[in-house]
Amino acid sequence: MINDERLVTYIHSLEKPGSELLAQIEKQAHEDNVPIIRKEMESFLRVILKTINPKDILELGTAVGYSALLMSECCKAHITTVENYDKRIPIALSNIAKAGKEDCIKLVEGDALEVMQCLPAESFDFIFMDAAKAQYIFYLPEAIRLLRKGGMLITDNVLQDGDIIQSKFVVRRRDRTIHKRMREYMRAVKNAPELETTIVPIGDGITMSVKK
């Protein structure tokens, strides 16, 4: 995770522009304070997806559809994306329709864990986890079950802007549950016998795991 703002700005200045629609969605998301993936994460996803070329993707946390549409531009995959916040669902559906991606992006409304539990095992070769951070630890067993052998799990925002290394007494009281559960998740994903995992300090930190 790079904390030098000048360096981050410089890296961002080198990024190639995405599609016009993605630029519009990004601008609106920032105006509405809707969290979407950081530019570093976007660039990383583009390279990874073009490298492994997955056929079936599961995304946890649609928000307004930005990352699902980004992924659809990088590979010819069928994308299942899950969102539970009813105010964002119609916006995401509208953005998917504007992109003409209804055939390859399926938005499932509901609680991510409940949706995952209803899906058949080994259905996906790529899972992107960017939903409720305090729930990552509960999603992990299902993510492992749903991944095919050789499949990849990427989890975003795991370093919590550096708070992950702080004592729980330093973290704001309202953030302590997320702090505790994220530390539990990091231990679990790094030590899961089914996975080989690395921590990559880009954006707000990610874990990148491959199922053995």
Side-chain angles (χ1 to χ4, degrees), residues 10-72:
Y10 171 69
I11 292 171
H12 287 182
S13 74
L14 300 175
E15 295 291 346
K16 294 184 293 187
S19 68
E20 184 177 341
L21 178 60
L22 280 181
Q24 292 172 0
I25 296 171
E26 179 183 23
K27 181 176 182 292
Q28 191 63 53
H30 290 322
E31 289 176 359
D32 296 339
N33 292 315
V34 175
I36 59 174
I37 58 174
R38 302 188 188 195
K39 299 304 290 184
E40 305 95 306
M41 186 65 219
E42 178 178 331
S43 181
F44 187 82
L45 269 182
R46 287 183 185 277
V47 173
I48 288 295
L49 292 173
K50 288 181 181 295
T51 300
I52 66 175
N53 194 30
K55 302 303 179 188
D56 296 285
I57 294 174
L58 174 64
E59 177 187 41
L60 306 178
T62 312
V64 292
Y66 184 83
S67 50
L69 288 169
L70 168 73
M71 291 190 287
S72 75

Side-chain angles (χ1 to χ4, degrees), residues 57-60 78-82 104-106 108 119 124:
I57 294 174
L58 174 64
E59 177 187 41
L60 306 178
H78 180 270
I79 301 169
T80 300
T81 181
V82 185
C104 64
I105 301 177
K106 177 184 179 183
V108 180
L119 296 170
F124 303 95

Side-chain angles (χ1 to χ4, degrees), residues 135-151:
Q135 303 305 309
Y136 283 3
I137 186 65
F138 305 116
Y139 298 156
L140 182 59
E142 286 301 312
I144 294 172
R145 182 183 70 84
L146 292 173
L147 267 182
R148 297 170 183 145
K149 289 184 179 178

Side-chain angles (χ1 to χ4, degrees), residues 43-207:
S43 181
F44 187 82
L45 269 182
R46 287 183 185 277
V47 173
I48 288 295
L49 292 173
K50 288 181 181 295
T51 300
I52 66 175
N53 194 30
K55 302 303 179 188
D56 296 285
I57 294 174
L58 174 64
E59 177 187 41
L60 306 178
T62 312
V64 292
Y66 184 83
S67 50
L69 288 169
L70 168 73
M71 291 190 287
S72 75
E73 292 183 359
C74 299
C75 58
K76 295 181 179 179
H78 180 270
I79 301 169
T80 300
T81 181
V82 185
E83 180 57 53
N84 197 35
Y85 188 24
D86 55 6
K87 291 185 178 180
R88 289 182 184 155
I89 289 169
I91 300 171
L93 289 171
S94 175
N95 287 332
I96 292 168
K98 287 177 185 176
K101 297 283 188 175
E102 299 101 319
D103 290 342
C104 64
I105 301 177
K106 177 184 179 183
L107 195 158
V108 180
E109 302 177 28
D111 177 80
L113 183 58
E114 293 177 3
V115 171
M116 294 172 83
Q117 290 170 339
C118 294
L119 296 170
E122 298 186 358
S123 297
F124 303 95
D125 39 25
F126 188 86
I127 297 177
F128 181 48
M129 195 184 295
D130 190 23
K133 314 312 172 194
Q135 303 305 309
Y136 283 3
I137 186 65
F138 305 116
Y139 298 156
L140 182 59
E142 286 301 312
I144 294 172
R145 182 183 70 84
L146 292 173
L147 267 182
R148 297 170 183 145
K149 289 184 179 178
M152 182 177 293
L153 166 66
I154 289 184
T155 308
D156 202 9
N157 304 118
V158 297
L159 296 182
Q160 299 286 282
D161 287 319
D163 282 352
I164 193 74
I165 63 172
Q166 300 293 343
S167 162
K168 69 177 181 180
F169 300 108
V170 175
V171 176
R172 290 178 300 181
R173 185 177 296 274
R174 67 181 184 183
D175 295 330
R176 287 181 183 174
T177 296
I178 294 175
H179 178 266
K180 175 177 179 289
R181 290 184 180 175
M182 186 60 78
R183 289 176 70 111
E184 290 173 356
Y185 175 78
M186 296 287 272
R187 285 192 295 271
V189 74
K190 278 292 289 181
N191 292 283
E194 304 94 335
L195 302 175
E196 192 67 49
T197 299
T198 185
I199 300 167
V200 185
I202 62 170
D204 191 23
I206 69 170
T207 59

